[in-house]
Amino acid sequence: MATTDVAPQGTGGQLGRTRIVNDMSIQVATVNGSGSQSSNTVLLRAIFQMGVPVSGKNLFPSNIAGLPTWYTIRANKDGYIGRKKEIDFLVAMNAETAQDDVMSLAPGAAVLYDEPLALDKLRNDLIFYSVPYDKLVATVCPEAKLRKLVKNMVYVGVVAQLLTIEMGEVEKAIRKQFAKKVKAANLNLAAAQAGFDYAKASLQKRGAFYIERMDKTAGKIIIDGNSAAALGCMFAGCTVVTWYPITPSSSLVETMIDYMKEYRIGPDGKATFAIVQAEDELAAIGMVIGAGWAGARSMTATAGPGISLMSEFAGLAYYAEIPGVIWDIQRVGPSTGLPTRTSQGDILTTAFLSHGDTKHILLIPCSAVECFSMASDAFNLAEQFQTLVFVMSDLDLGMNNWMSDPFEYPTTPIKRGKVLDKKDLEKLGGFARYKDLDGDGVGYRTLPGTDHPGAAYFTRGSGHNDKSSYSERPDDYENNMERLNRKFETARSFVPRPEILKGTNAQIGIIAYGTSHWGIVESRDQLRNEYAIETDYLRLRAYPFTREVHEFIEQHERVYVVEQNRDAQMLSLLKLDLKPELITRMRSISHLDGLPLDARSVTDELSTMEGK
């Protein structure tokens, strides 16, 4: 078979172009359930081990097996780890999507394909590499039933040769991936080596893209946001977890189960925690509230459909003032929507979740590091303000592979908030559960089991006065609701403050949050370099908004709010918070196709709106 079936023609081809080193997007198109996850992880980690910043994003179907799946590795010497819109190197292993995958590429891209697909006839402006995978895998894998899985590791070796990824790093990555399975590691290494050797002997390198060793990943780790969140919750002192499985949040609790079994078993061999799979999301949040009332640090993890089901219980926790933490790993809705696509579509719903006048604290991480650190923030704020705190992650952050700094060991003590103990009660003689003594809207509480007759109190989701006695008096209800609002206003001074990055004499501001951050960082450089547009950037980290958010908007002529939903949900929240004269400065840039936000889309839309 020819090493390169079709040479690129015209200006789009890569022949004769300057070498492009450590700046590319590699997409592997396979089928779900074929074992490609291990192969893709090995490829990602091999590049990472060569010191090149990377990220890995998995686009997978919502069925169990058989449908198309795409895994995209972004390698970038400048540290850009958001999704890149263009694909530079395609590994086409799925017959069902191969033609569409090839036709979507820009001229000059490279295609590595399985020989029977005969993709070289489709276009003449791409670089094609054909590989007889079945023949190669048969030489290293005697068991026919295993070849389907091992076959994918062959393309790892071929890609390593074509992109000059060191085979020693591939072996290291394979050994790590199959650390407890020596036989499997040896088999997969043999498959990768077969691909590498075939490419070296039979394929002529013709593309412009190369991976070369650098030193920008020293001390870094590869982790997904859900695993980071699980670690963070354990370190935050969480002892009760209740959940109902739902994509993309399930792996958070599944990972936490493993961590807690390893690190939270007492000297007597008994667990010091309770993790309960409930019959549904309603039961899960009900258990969280019950455990929170009893004094445990409790949490659940869910996604948009679960959030919808938790609405009534969220109102109970808000009005009865019971702490708890809910991780919302957002996905595309409404209804079932696209369960395996990412979104920021639950912002507005969750901020006001439940009927009546309700406001909830939201924390919004953008990285694995913040998934870890905001876990402690969430539990501390929940107990400080005696309320639910929602951590608004998303599928992109929760389930994908991210390069990250190691997490810092928490040094801040656990904060239980205004809890009266036996000595306090002996001095006071009693207390009014919902009375605001300090002007911050937060009352004092006791924990059931405290050894004092005054420790017990009723918790009411119906009308009550400051002593928690049942009341339908209009003034009691109004006073209670105004106090709850005062408590929410107090939270503005305690939630995580935004991150602000300044340009040079910028008149334009950008506001974004969560995983949109990574596209914005890159887009700001594109806007500066390609259109001479300077921008300042504020990354929201929490709701309610702090004073810095208002000041940022006041300082700019136009402010673009970038978010991954259709209806500009965060912009709507901002408008409710702003002075009327500031609202006209706001602009919306929405991204809603379910794919992680890419920088080019932001750059194109913002520059167009600026008349460039």
Side-chain angles (χ1 to χ4, degrees):
M1 193 70 186
T3 56
T4 303
D5 305 306
V6 179
Q9 299 175 0
T11 57
Q14 295 179 8
L15 293 178
R17 288 174 54 183
T18 304
R19 287 162 52 99
I20 301 174
V21 178
N22 297 338
D23 184 11
M24 71 192 71
S25 181
I26 306 166
Q27 185 173 87
V28 182
T30 58
V31 293
N32 203 31
S34 65
S36 59
Q37 181 176 351
S38 295
S39 302
N40 296 332
T41 302
V42 165
L43 189 56
L44 173 87
R45 189 168 290 280
I47 297 172
F48 172 77
Q49 290 164 181
M50 288 183 64
V52 183
V54 292
S55 64
K57 300 190 183 298
N58 191 23
L59 185 64
F60 60 101
S62 56
N63 75 327
I64 296 175
L67 287 184
T69 182
W70 296 265
Y71 188 82
T72 305
I73 297 171
R74 174 83 185 273
N76 183 267
K77 64 184 185 304
D78 299 314
Y80 298 135
I81 56 176
R83 184 174 75 91
K84 183 181 179 183
K85 193 171 186 178
E86 305 82 12
I87 301 300
D88 301 308
F89 194 107
L90 171 68
V91 181
M93 299 290 289
N94 181 17
E96 182 179 339
T97 67
Q99 292 194 15
D100 288 341
D101 292 336
V102 168
M103 297 308 294
S104 69
L105 298 173
V111 180
L112 174 64
Y113 67 94
D114 195 3
E115 183 179 78
L117 297 179
L119 300 179
D120 56 297
K121 306 299 189 294
L122 295 177
R123 294 175 60 174
N124 65 357
D125 59 351
L126 302 175
I127 298 173
F128 287 95
Y129 300 102
S130 174
V131 176
Y133 290 105
D134 289 334
K135 295 178 182 178
L136 293 177
V137 74
T139 64
V140 298
C141 185
E143 296 184 49
K145 64 180 182 180
L146 292 178
R147 290 174 187 169
K148 175 186 174 183
L149 303 177
V150 179
K151 179 179 176 179
N152 288 316
M153 202 61 74
V154 176
Y155 69 66
V156 173
V158 177
V159 172
Q161 167 61 25
L162 293 175
L163 296 181
T164 64
I165 300 169
E166 296 172 13
M167 196 58 194
E169 298 297 351
V170 172
E171 178 177 0
K172 182 179 176 182
I174 290 174
R175 298 290 181 194
K176 183 176 181 65
Q177 184 70 19
F178 300 97
K180 298 180 180 180
K181 300 177 181 179
V182 176
K183 185 177 179 181
N186 291 337
L187 178 60
N188 280 274
L189 178 59
Q193 189 66 55
F196 186 89
D197 292 342
Y198 175 83
K200 185 175 182 180
S202 305
L203 301 181
Q204 178 187 354
K205 165 74 175 179
R206 304 189 71 180
F209 294 97
Y210 294 81
I211 296 293
E212 293 183 359
R213 184 171 290 278
M214 56 190 307
D215 60 355
K216 289 196 174 182
T217 64
K220 304 282 188 180
I221 61 174
I222 297 286
I223 193 170
D224 62 87
N226 281 353
S227 295
L231 271 175
C233 292
M234 182 179 71
F235 274 88
C238 178
T239 57
V240 175
V241 183
T242 65
W243 67 305
Y244 185 77
I246 182 173
T247 302
S249 71
S250 297
S251 63
L252 195 162
V253 180
E254 290 165 350
T255 304
M256 197 168 180
I257 291 170
D258 293 337
Y259 286 142
M260 297 289 261
K261 284 182 177 179
E262 184 171 358
Y263 297 109
R264 290 294 181 263
I265 302 297
D268 58 358
K270 295 181 180 180
T272 60
F273 62 92
I275 299 180
V276 181
Q277 181 175 326
E279 62 266 35
D280 53 34
E281 288 88 351
L282 281 80
I285 186 61
M287 293 177 190
V288 167
I289 294 170
W293 177 80
R297 287 201 149 186
S298 57
M299 61 160 279
T300 188
T302 189
I307 292 292
S308 297
L309 291 171
M310 294 176 183
S311 175
E312 187 173 1
F313 265 134
L316 170 62
Y318 174 79
Y319 195 53
E321 299 179 68
I322 299 173
V325 172
I326 300 175
W327 286 80
D328 180 7
I329 317 301
Q330 297 170 88
R331 70 187 207 187
V332 173
S335 187
T336 303
L338 302 177
T340 58
R341 303 292 187 269
T342 195
S343 173
Q344 295 174 327
D346 300 345
I347 297 297
L348 203 54
T349 299
T350 307
F352 304 122
L353 190 65
S354 199
H355 54 280
D357 293 320
T358 313
K359 294 179 182 178
H360 297 294
I361 296 172
L362 312 181
L363 304 187
I364 315 173
C366 80
S367 64
V369 166
E370 287 193 336
C371 283
F372 179 82
S373 64
M374 283 189 177
S376 290
D377 294 335
F379 283 102
N380 285 340
L381 288 166
E383 295 208 283
Q384 178 181 358
F385 292 100
Q386 301 168 18
T387 191
L388 295 180
V389 172
F390 293 82
V391 187
M392 308 300 290
S393 181
D394 60 36
L395 183 147
D396 182 25
L397 178 54
M399 294 193 71
N400 284 328
N401 293 317
W402 294 84
M403 184 180 73
S404 172
D405 291 322
F407 309 144
E408 295 184 5
Y409 195 93
T411 56
T412 304
I414 288 176
K415 300 174 183 178
R416 302 306 305 266
K418 296 183 178 182
V419 177
L420 300 174
D421 60 18
K422 180 180 179 180
K423 292 181 180 180
D424 297 325
L425 291 168
E426 286 175 345
K427 292 178 183 178
L428 295 171
F431 75 107
R433 169 67 181 96
Y434 297 115
K435 189 175 184 63
D436 182 9
L437 297 176
D438 304 315
D440 58 3
V442 184
Y444 285 80
R445 65 178 178 134
T446 58
L447 302 181
T450 301
D451 185 20
H452 190 279
Y457 67 88
F458 286 108
T459 292
R460 290 193 183 274
S462 55
H464 51 264
N465 61 21
D466 59 10
K467 294 182 179 179
S468 74
S469 298
Y470 180 76
S471 172
E472 293 188 12
R473 290 171 55 102
D475 58 336
D476 282 339
Y477 178 77
E478 184 174 355
N479 290 339
N480 204 33
M481 294 302 292
E482 290 296 341
R483 180 184 58 79
L484 287 168
N485 194 58
R486 188 160 61 251
K487 181 170 72 169
F488 187 78
E489 290 298 316
T490 301
R492 291 182 190 271
S493 299
F494 292 90
V495 297
R497 304 216 173 270
E499 177 186 49
I500 299 176
L501 301 176
K502 304 289 285 187
T504 304
N505 299 320
Q507 300 301 310
I508 297 170
I510 297 176
I511 293 177
Y513 57 96
T515 52
S516 297
H517 169 71
W518 305 103
I520 300 300
V521 168
E522 186 176 358
S523 176
R524 291 182 70 231
D525 289 343
Q526 292 175 354
L527 289 165
R528 179 186 304 110
N529 297 333
E530 298 172 18
Y531 297 97
I533 296 176
E534 285 287 341
T535 61
D536 292 336
Y537 169 44
L538 180 144
R539 178 172 66 87
L540 294 168
R541 301 174 68 222
Y543 174 76
F545 306 121
T546 65
R547 57 177 174 77
E548 290 92 343
V549 179
H550 292 253
E551 292 170 355
F552 182 86
I553 296 170
E554 290 172 350
Q555 293 164 1
H556 296 90
E557 295 176 0
R558 293 176 300 286
V559 178
Y560 292 89
V561 182
V562 182
E563 46 191 320
Q564 298 178 58
N565 57 64
R566 183 192 68 183
D567 295 335
Q569 295 183 24
M570 188 65 78
L571 177 56
S572 297
L573 276 183
L574 285 165
K575 287 180 177 179
L576 290 172
D577 221 51
L578 293 173
K579 300 174 184 176
E581 60 269 23
L582 294 178
I583 293 176
T584 58
R585 303 185 184 190
M586 311 300 288
R587 309 283 190 275
S588 173
I589 294 179
S590 295
H591 181 86
L592 67 151
D593 61 5
L595 301 176
L597 180 71
D598 67 278
R600 181 55 58 187
S601 294
V602 177
T603 300
D604 290 348
E605 187 161 356
L606 194 151
S607 61
T608 299
M609 294 172 76
E610 285 293 310
K612 298 290 187 177

